[in-house]
Amino acid sequence: DVMSVLFQATLQAQLRSVFMVTVSVAQFILGAGLTVLFVVHLRFGPLGFFAASVVATALGFTAIATRCISEIGLAPPRWSEVWRLVCFSAPLLVAALMYFIVRNSDRILVSQLLTVSAVGIYSMAWTLANLLLTMVFTPIQTSLDVWRYKLYPHPSGAKEFADIFRIAIVLIGIAAVGLVTGVADVFVLVIDPAYRQAALYLPLLGGAVILQAGYSIVASAFYVTGATGQWTRLFAVGAGVQIATSLTLIPVFGIAGAAIGILAANLVLYAGATYFGARLWRVPYPHAAVAVTFFLELACGYLRILFPAGSLAQKLSIDLAALAFVFVVMIGFGLLKRSDLASLRRDLRDLVRPQAW
């Protein structure tokens, strides 16, 4: 996996998104098929999961390594560049620990202050909320990590990056509204009754993910300028807020207290990244996009909870109406523009061109 990441970074820098996704999907399908073969048919037990993962990962690694080496070749390392990379990345090792605390300490505190069943419900809620990251923001961030370094030196780069921020927040905001309405209704219908309560915490966690997407983009200033140590210190503050808020609110509000804790931590990280990042790279971010999508997501989510509809058809009809309302509001606030649709059509055409591969 680690070696694969090194070659994936090369493909990422070249924006070979189609090839990267194709290899990932093929690796997933192969791994799932081999797991069934080894565990179900050959009765390998737990070893079957490991064996299937190893084979699928090895073949995926071979595919991307062959592609990169055939195009670029191999060369001896330039140790001065390696040292710069180490200096840039060293503070991020601590930031990774802080990120782990922000993202996981709430479940640990829920297990200590509440019950095991509460952990299961809260973890299920997070599983649903993570769909926003896995299926919407992470693919955007994969390209965003490259774009920010390309746009930073250019005179018009700040304005272009602000447009990327606006579009990314709009996309994840629309997906968040769909999650807390339509996806939540289907989830309640098909899940075991013991987990249905998880849908009650989706609006708070969806709001936390919107803020996370926002600060992940705004924090680009720390990366393009090499101020990774400052970002690490800011993340330490966020981790402290997360723990303190959760310890205070979980005994009072139960599972909702944990959700409010992660929301508060992400809000602090967003505010901190906005304030300190502006000193490093002045980007005219439309922060109103985050505020509008955040409140729309909360409003749609809690209106669904407070005023439940009857049949599934009625619920889904209301959910579609909510999405249509969100589109209208975003157009009204200037967050969605006609030029965005033209860009989308152009990008879809680019996907079928050889350069994407």
Side-chain angles (χ1 to χ4, degrees), residues 203-287:
L204 288 173
L205 295 179
V209 172
I210 291 173
L211 291 174
Q212 180 179 343
Y215 79 63
S216 297
I217 299 176
V218 176
S220 296
F222 302 106
Y223 290 89
V224 297
T225 60
T228 50
Q230 188 174 1
W231 179 231
T232 299
R233 292 191 293 272
L234 185 58
F235 234 117
V237 174
V241 170
Q242 157 78 347
I243 294 174
T245 307
S246 297
L247 284 174
T248 304
L249 297 183
I250 289 176
V252 180
F253 298 108
I255 297 176
I260 296 172
I262 185 67
L263 191 66
N266 285 355
L267 181 60
V268 168
L269 288 169
Y270 183 85
T274 299
Y275 179 77
F276 293 104
R279 299 181 177 185
L280 302 172
W281 186 22
R282 292 192 174 278
V283 179
Y285 291 114
H287 296 293

Side-chain angles (χ1 to χ4, degrees), residues 155-243:
S156 62
K159 182 179 181 303
E160 293 181 40
F161 201 69
D163 280 336
I164 293 173
F165 172 88
R166 174 181 58 82
I167 294 171
I169 294 300
V170 165
L171 287 175
I172 199 166
I174 293 172
V177 172
L179 175 72
V180 301
T181 55
V183 174
D185 284 330
V186 175
F187 168 79
V188 171
L189 181 67
V190 301
I191 200 64
D192 185 281
Y195 289 105
R196 288 177 182 171
Q197 188 182 350
L200 299 178
Y201 310 108
L202 267 183
L204 288 173
L205 295 179
V209 172
I210 291 173
L211 291 174
Q212 180 179 343
Y215 79 63
S216 297
I217 299 176
V218 176
S220 296
F222 302 106
Y223 290 89
V224 297
T225 60
T228 50
Q230 188 174 1
W231 179 231
T232 299
R233 292 191 293 272
L234 185 58
F235 234 117
V237 174
V241 170
Q242 157 78 347
I243 294 174

